[in-house]
Amino acid sequence: MERTLAIIKPDAVKKRIIGKIVGRIEEEGFGIVRMKLVHLTADEARGFYIVHKDKPFYGSLCEFMSSGPVVIMVLEAEEAIKRWRETMGATDPAKANPGTLRRAYGFSIERNAVHGSDARETAEFEINYFFKK
Ligand code: CMP
């Protein structure tokens, strides 16, 4: 079994689709092993996205991620990282496959409804960042 970190971003929480996204997670067979609703501070968002600190979108992304509550979850499944990325679809909702969460609910490359870890090392960092042992 593998674990990954999933976030329902502020745009999706504002749209009142937490239930739809959690429903999809359960339908896909993931176990939800941790879950919390939090309003991140700008500093917490900056720390979480530290790998992107030199990207042009870093400031805007951190501002957006701290603009309202988010739902943070640890998902568990065989190949959870890959499978959650497939369920989300491509980062840019316009390029995401039909049937993916970002295609269905994303608004732009930044306001793309959900986040998921992209590799084992990132999953470990991201899970520990929000759910300290
Ligand atoms: P996420 O999976 O949360 O990881 C980094 C986020 O940066 C990404 O989703 C997008 O919401 C955001 N982002 C904003 N602009 C870009 C961009 N040009 N390329 C990639 N990610 C971007």
Side-chain angles (χ1 to χ4, degrees), residues 57-71:
F57 57 81
Y58 181 64
S60 172
L61 172 65
C62 296
E63 202 177 298
F64 162 59
M65 288 300 287
S66 54
S67 68
V70 296
V71 177

Side-chain angles (χ1 to χ4, degrees), residues 3-9 12-13 17-26 30-40 69-76 84 114 126-127 130-132:
R3 289 183 174 194
T4 191
L5 189 95
I7 303 180
I8 303 177
K9 296 188 178 186
V13 174
I17 53 170
I18 294 174
K20 288 203 169 86
I21 294 173
V22 171
R24 178 68 181 275
I25 286 169
E26 293 191 316
F30 293 98
I32 300 173
V33 295
R34 303 293 298 271
M35 186 179 200
K36 62 182 178 184
L37 182 124
V38 284
H39 192 147
L40 299 176
V70 296
V71 177
I72 310 177
M73 289 165 280
V74 176
L75 308 183
E76 188 175 71
W84 176 234
V114 283
E126 293 183 353
I127 290 168
F130 287 124
F131 299 99
K132 298 196 177 66

Side-chain angles (χ1 to χ4, degrees), residues 47-96:
F48 178 72
Y49 279 121
I50 196 76
V51 292
H52 296 305
K53 69 176 178 357
D54 297 325
K55 305 267 173 62
F57 57 81
Y58 181 64
S60 172
L61 172 65
C62 296
E63 202 177 298
F64 162 59
M65 288 300 287
S66 54
S67 68
V70 296
V71 177
I72 310 177
M73 289 165 280
V74 176
L75 308 183
E76 188 175 71
E78 299 286 347
E79 296 198 281
I81 296 169
K82 179 167 151 260
R83 288 199 37 232
W84 176 234
R85 288 172 65 77
E86 286 167 0
T87 306
M88 291 191 298
T91 308
D92 183 352
K95 295 182 184 143

